[in-house]
C-alpha cells in the first residue's frame, strides 16, 4: 500500500540544456549583486514594440473585417512613408489633408482618417458614430454598385464592364467612390455643426440686443470662439479641395485603379511579346530561352519593340489621363460647392455677430453720451446754486450794513439772486444748443 501513496507519474525534471538562455541571463548576478533584467516582461516588451493597431478593412465588394497590424506592415502594404501615417494618428491633431501617393490615397477629413487603395479601404478602428456611419454607407454603396454591375452582364466578370474607360459618374472607380464617401461625411459633419451653431446663435444674439448683461456677453464670446474654430476647419477643407482641383498632377496620381490596370497590362504585354519573339516554327513557347544563346538580332528586335511599346503606352496614358481627370475634377467640384456653401453660412453668421457687436457698441456709446449730457446739466446747475452760496457768504460777514435794518431786504435779495441764476442757466443751455453739445 505504501507504493500507491507514491505519485503514479513523477513530474519530469528539466535538464540543464532545456533552460532558456534568458533565464540564465536574468538569474546571473550583476556587479551590484542584483540579478540582471529582474522584473522585466520580455513578452510584453515584444508586444509593445510591435505597436499593433486595430484597423477596419473594407474591400471593393463591400465586405469588411477587423485586422490588427503594425505600422510597418501598413507602410509596406500601401507603400507609404511614416510621415503620412502620422496624419492618421488619433493622438495628434492635424488639419484636413488629402494626399495622392503611388499606390494609395491618404485621407484625413475630420473624423474620417483612412487609407484608400485600388482594392480596399483601411480605417483606424474607432467607436465614433461618424466613422461607423461611413463604413456602413460605403458597404451599402459598394454592394449596390456590384449588384448593378452584375445585373446587366449576365455572364462572367469583366474588368472593363465595371470600370470602363469612358465611365460616367455612376461608374467611378473604387478609390473615387471611397473618397466621395469621405468627402460627403466630412461635408455633412461640418454642415451639421454649422447648422447647430446657427440655431444656437441667432436667438442668443437677439436676446443680447434686447438685454445687455454680463452673462449674455460671456455666452456670445464662447459662441464666437466656436465659430472661429469651425470656420478655420471648414476653410482648411475648402482650401485642400481647391488645391487638388488646381493641380492636374495630383489628381492624376489619385487614379489608382487605372495605374494598377496599366501595370498589369504592361506586365502581361511584356510576357506575350517575349513569348512571341522567341517562338519560331520549331521552338516551343513554354521552353525556357537563354538570353546568352539568343542571337543579337532577336535581342535588338525585343529592345526596339519594348521601346516602341513604352512610348505608345506613355502617349496613350497621357491622353486618357487628361480625359479622365475630368471625372475627379467634377467630383471635387461638387463637394467644393457644398463646403463653400457651409463656409458662406459661417461667414454670414460671423457678419451677423459683428453687426450685433457694432449695434451694442452704438447703444453703449449712446448711453455714455446721455450720461455725459446729464453730467453737464448737473455741473451747470451746481454752478448756479453756488451763486446763492456766494451771496449768503457775503451777507454773513460780521460788519454793519444799513440794508440789514430793512425788513423786505431778504426777500428782494432772494428774488434777484434767483432771477440771475435762471438767466445764467438759460444762457448755458442756449450755448450748449448752439454748439450742438446737447440735443435740446
Amino acid at each position: 500500500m505504501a507504493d500507491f501513496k507514491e505519485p503514479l507519474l513523477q513530474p519530469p525534471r528539466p535538464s540543464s540544456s532545456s533552460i532558456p538562455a534568458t533565464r540564465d541571463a536574468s538569474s546571473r548576478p550583476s556587479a551590484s549583486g542584483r540579478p540582471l533584467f529582474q522584473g522585466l516582461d520580455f513578452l510584453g516588451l515584444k508586444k509593445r514594440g510591435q505597436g499593433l493597431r486595430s484597423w477596419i478593412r473594407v474591400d471593393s465588394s463591400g465586405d469588411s473585417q477587423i485586422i490588427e497590424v503594425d505600422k510597418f506592415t501598413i507602410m509596406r502594404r500601401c507603400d507609404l512613408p511614416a510621415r503620412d501615417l502620422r496624419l492618421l494618428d488619433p493622438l495628434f491633431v492635424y488639419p484636413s489633408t488629402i494626399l495622392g501617393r503611388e499606390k494609395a490615397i491618404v485621407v484625413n477629413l475630420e473624423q474620417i482618417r483612412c487609407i484608400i487603395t485600388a482594392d480596399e479601404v483601411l480605417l483606424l478602428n474607432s467607436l465614433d458614430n461618424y466613422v461607423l456611419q461611413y463604413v456602413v454607407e460605403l458597404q451599402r454603396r459598394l454592394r449596390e454598385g456590384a449588384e448593378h454591375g452584375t445585373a446587366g452582364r449576365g455572364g462572367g466578370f469583366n474588368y472593363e464592364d465595371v470600370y470602363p474607360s469612358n465611365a460616367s459618374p455612376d461608374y467611378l472607380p473604387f478609390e473615387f467612390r471611397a473618397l466621395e464617401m469621405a468627402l460627403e461625411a466630412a461635408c455633412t459633419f461640418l454642415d451639421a455643426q454649422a447648422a447647430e451653431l446657427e440655431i444656437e446663435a441667432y436667438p442668443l444674439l437677439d436676446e443680447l440686443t434686447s438685454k445687455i448683461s454680463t452673462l449674455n456677453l460671456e455666452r456670445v464670446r464662447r459662441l464666437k470662439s466656436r465659430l472661429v474654430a469651425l470656420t478655420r476647419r471648414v476653410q482648411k477643407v475648402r482650401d485642400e479641395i481647391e488645391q487638388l482641383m488646381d493641380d492636374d498632377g495630383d489628381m492624376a496620381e489619385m487614379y489608382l485603379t487605372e495605374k494598377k490596370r496599366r501595370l498589369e497590362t504592361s506586365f502581361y504585354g511584356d510576357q506575350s511579346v517575349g513569348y512571341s519573339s522567341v517562338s519560331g516554327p520549331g521552338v516551343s513557347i513554354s521552353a525556357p530561352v537563354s538570353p546568352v544563346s539568343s542571337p543579337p538580332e532577336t535581342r535588338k528586335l525585343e529592345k526596339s519593340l519594348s521601346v516602341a511599346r513604352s512610348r505608345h503606352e506613355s502617349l496613350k496614358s497621357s491622353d486618357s489621363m487628361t480625359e479622365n481627370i475630368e471625372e475627379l475634377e467634377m467630383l471635387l467640384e461638387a463637394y467644393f460647392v457644398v463646403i463653400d456653401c457651409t463656409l458662406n453660412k459661417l461667414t454670414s453668421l460671423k457678419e451677423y455677430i459683428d453687426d450685433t457687436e457694432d449695434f451694442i457698441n452704438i447703444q453703449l456709446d449712446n448711453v455714455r453720451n446721455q450720461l455725459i449730457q446729464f453730467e453737464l446739466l448737473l455741473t451747470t446747475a451746481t454752478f448756479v446754486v453756488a451763486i446763492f452760496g456766494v451771496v449768503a457768504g457775503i451777507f454773513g460777514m460780521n460788519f454793519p450794513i444799513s440794508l440789514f435794518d430793512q425788513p423786505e431786504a431778504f426777500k428782494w435779495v432772494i428774488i434777484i439772486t434767483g432771477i440771475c441764476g435762471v438767466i445764467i442757466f438759460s444762457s448755458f443751455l442756449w450755448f450748449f444748443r448752439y454748439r450742438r453739445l446737447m440735443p435740446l
Side-chain angles (χ1 to χ4, degrees), residues 382-398:
T382 304
F383 175 73
V384 173
V385 173
I387 296 176
F388 288 90
V390 172
V391 174
I394 292 174
F395 282 95
M397 297 294 180
N398 191 10

Side-chain angles (χ1 to χ4, degrees), residues 178-404:
L179 178 62
E180 181 183 8
M181 278 299 306
L183 289 172
E184 182 179 349
C187 293
T188 304
F189 175 73
L190 293 175
D191 189 71
Q193 284 196 341
E196 181 182 354
L197 202 61
E198 280 183 336
I199 294 174
E200 183 181 355
Y202 287 111
L204 179 59
L205 294 174
D206 294 338
E207 182 182 357
L208 181 62
T209 54
S210 60
K211 181 183 179 181
I212 302 175
S213 62
T214 306
L215 178 61
N216 290 336
L217 290 174
E218 178 64 22
R219 292 170 63 187
V220 171
R221 185 191 66 82
R222 295 177 182 176
L223 179 69
K224 191 172 182 180
S225 300
R226 291 168 53 193
L227 176 64
V228 171
L230 182 60
T231 304
R232 189 181 299 112
R233 289 158 53 193
V234 173
Q235 183 69 42
K236 187 64 180 73
V237 175
R238 180 184 179 275
D239 293 342
E240 191 67 25
I241 297 176
E242 186 178 9
Q243 183 180 359
L244 281 176
M245 293 172 58
D246 293 339
D247 196 339
D248 294 343
D250 290 344
M251 287 193 292
E253 284 290 331
M254 299 173 70
Y255 279 81
L256 305 178
T257 304
E258 185 71 17
K259 289 192 291 185
K260 180 180 179 182
R261 183 182 64 83
R262 288 174 182 168
L263 182 62
E264 293 177 353
T265 304
S266 62
F267 175 74
Y268 290 117
D270 291 340
Q271 287 186 348
S272 62
V273 170
Y275 287 137
S276 62
S277 61
V278 299
S279 62
V283 180
S284 176
I285 298 178
S286 60
V289 179
S290 175
V292 180
S293 61
S294 60
E297 291 80 4
T298 306
R299 290 199 299 269
K300 291 180 180 179
L301 179 60
E302 292 178 5
K303 184 176 181 180
S304 60
L305 287 175
S306 62
V307 171
R309 186 174 58 256
S310 62
R311 290 179 180 177
H312 176 70
E313 289 292 334
S314 62
L315 292 175
K316 183 180 178 181
S317 62
S318 61
D319 295 338
S320 60
M321 192 63 70
T322 304
E323 296 176 358
N324 292 334
I325 280 178
E326 297 179 358
E327 299 176 0
L328 180 57
E329 189 174 3
M330 292 174 60
L331 174 65
L332 295 176
E333 186 176 359
Y335 289 98
F336 177 80
V337 173
V338 174
I339 200 68
D340 189 65
C341 180
T342 305
L343 184 61
N344 291 334
K345 289 182 183 179
L346 297 177
T347 305
S348 301
L349 182 58
K350 186 177 183 303
E351 291 177 355
Y352 190 80
I353 293 178
D354 294 338
D355 295 340
T356 305
E357 290 180 352
D358 295 339
F359 178 74
I360 292 173
N361 291 330
I362 291 173
Q363 282 187 337
L364 294 177
D365 292 340
N366 186 24
V367 172
R368 191 180 298 110
N369 292 334
Q370 291 178 358
L371 291 176
I372 292 174
Q373 292 172 6
F374 183 71
E375 183 182 2
L376 187 59
L377 290 176
L378 288 179
T379 305
T380 305
T382 304
F383 175 73
V384 173
V385 173
I387 296 176
F388 288 90
V390 172
V391 174
I394 292 174
F395 282 95
M397 297 294 180
N398 191 10
F399 56 88
I401 299 178
S402 60
L403 187 62
F404 293 164

Side-chain angles (χ1 to χ4, degrees), residues 4-59:
F4 289 102
K5 294 181 181 179
E6 302 252 343
L8 296 178
L9 295 176
Q10 296 291 336
R13 296 182 180 180
S15 60
S16 59
S17 60
S18 64
I19 299 176
T22 56
R23 184 176 177 181
D24 294 339
S26 60
S27 61
R28 187 182 301 119
S30 61
S32 59
R34 297 179 180 179
L36 294 175
F37 310 114
Q38 183 178 6
L40 290 181
D41 186 7
F42 293 96
L43 184 59
L45 287 176
K46 185 177 180 181
K47 290 183 178 179
R48 288 193 294 268
Q50 290 176 354
L52 295 178
R53 285 188 177 181
S54 179
W55 295 77
I56 302 177
R57 177 184 176 272
V58 181
D59 57 9

Side-chain angles (χ1 to χ4, degrees), residues 98-125:
I98 302 175
L99 299 177
R101 299 307 184 200
E102 182 65 26
K103 294 182 180 180
I105 301 174
V106 181
V107 178
N108 179 19
L109 295 175
E110 296 300 321
Q111 281 80 6
I112 307 301
R113 300 184 178 187
C114 61
I115 302 174
I116 302 174
T117 64
D119 302 322
E120 60 185 4
V121 178
L122 297 173
L123 300 96
L124 283 173
N125 193 5

